[in-house]
Amino acid sequence: MLLASPGLPPDLLQLQRRPGLPLAPDALRPAAAIDPAAIVADPASAAAWPEPAAAIAALVNDTHGAGGINPGDRRALFHLVRTLGARRILEIGTHIGSSILALATALQSLGGTGDAGIVSVDIADVNAPDAAWRAAGMAACPRDNLARLGLAHLAEFHAMPADRYMGGTANRFDLVFLDGSHKAWAVYEDVALALRVLRPGGTILLHDYFADARPITPDGRMIGGPFWALQRIMAECPAITVLPFGRLPWPARQGTPFTSLALVARHQPA
């Protein structure tokens, strides 16, 4: 971990000035049991994806800059839920509701029964008439888009800070998708809280994790917070590791094959 220095970005200085939090990795799925390349190569998921992909594309504005997760990352989410068999999902950061459609269609393809479902938490009321979905040029809010796909029963929405939900819920999840605040200190705290709400064998998924804090697209844009947060987490708890998806076998971020999705997993004892 870097030493505090006046030359560091304010976000990093904030991260370093915050006290350490308890990091409990025991519930995390072992890294040896996760193969990102096999997840995206899964033939059953590939065969199941075209129909939901078309249905989602008809609802989401994928214009560059609209703010939703891109179609390639949506497909990766679909593959991930199916191959890991995740049934209870927590999404932190709903925004315009692009990713929740991929998560919900994946649950539906697995049967969508029993305790299957998604809890989506955002600091804003994402279904309000003046929420981000309207500014993104979409015709309906996240809840209504799920209803149009017949999937409204699989999701519930909460308008509150992530720490308040994760710090107060008794629910436990197979997958926690962290796509809320990308400030380094916020990601650090979100991961610490997410570890507490995992079921045994659960997984944390990061969005906008740029390995080595380097851009992956020609425009050079990069968000450093998730990477720096995980650097501190892994320094404080060596049992935790990160598995970036890296390159996908289909177009993703800005039409390149590269993705900023990454899994948080647990090193097994030697």
Side-chain angles (χ1 to χ4, degrees):
M1 192 175 156
L2 295 176
L3 296 175
S5 160
L8 292 178
D11 184 34
L12 261 181
L13 289 174
Q14 271 193 297
L15 171 66
Q16 296 195 4
R17 288 169 180 161
R18 299 227 168 190
L21 295 175
L23 298 167
D26 290 352
L28 278 170
R29 185 176 293 230
I34 304 172
D35 182 353
I39 289 170
V40 298
D42 178 54
S45 297
W49 174 241
E51 184 176 347
I56 294 170
L59 300 174
V60 174
N61 179 8
D62 281 319
T63 304
H64 178 60
I69 194 168
N70 67 71
D73 283 357
R74 291 201 296 264
R75 178 173 176 176
L77 292 181
F78 184 85
H79 278 238
L80 177 66
V81 171
R82 286 176 49 90
T83 55
L84 295 187
R87 297 186 58 77
R88 290 294 299 169
I89 301 170
L90 173 62
E91 176 186 53
I92 300 297
T94 319
H95 196 42
I96 66 172
S98 176
S99 53
I100 198 172
L101 295 174
L103 297 171
T105 53
L107 285 182
Q108 181 189 45
S109 75
L110 291 173
T113 57
D115 69 345
I118 305 162
V119 175
S120 192
V121 179
D122 197 289
I123 197 167
D125 179 358
V126 298
N127 295 300
D130 58 349
W133 62 271
R134 187 174 294 279
M138 293 169 61
C141 66
R143 181 184 289 120
D144 289 349
N145 278 333
L146 284 167
R148 291 180 182 190
L149 298 181
L151 302 176
H153 64 289
L154 288 176
E156 61 182 77
F157 297 89
H158 296 270
M160 64 175 65
D163 60 345
R164 194 195 327 161
Y165 180 83
M166 289 192 285
T169 186
N171 293 327
R172 295 295 178 263
F173 302 92
D174 302 306
L175 175 66
V176 178
F177 179 32
L178 296 180
D179 193 20
S181 173
H182 288 63
K183 292 183 180 297
W185 64 266
V187 176
Y188 174 82
E189 293 179 2
D190 283 353
V191 170
L193 288 166
L195 290 169
R196 303 180 199 175
V197 301
L198 285 178
R199 286 173 167 174
T203 310
I204 297 171
L205 178 66
L206 306 172
H207 188 232
D208 287 325
Y209 178 87
F210 290 81
D212 300 321
R214 293 181 178 177
I216 58 175
T217 50
D219 66 4
R221 297 182 64 185
M222 187 276 300
I223 299 171
F227 171 78
W228 291 115
L230 267 294
Q231 288 296 105
R232 172 168 172 174
I233 286 168
M234 291 187 290
E236 292 179 356
C237 184
I240 294 175
T241 189
V242 182
L243 305 174
F245 277 81
R247 187 185 184 105
L248 299 175
W250 53 73
R253 203 174 185 101
Q254 294 181 21
T256 75
F258 300 108
T259 179
S260 64
L261 295 171
L263 292 165
V264 179
R266 173 173 54 88
H267 281 302
Q268 288 180 297

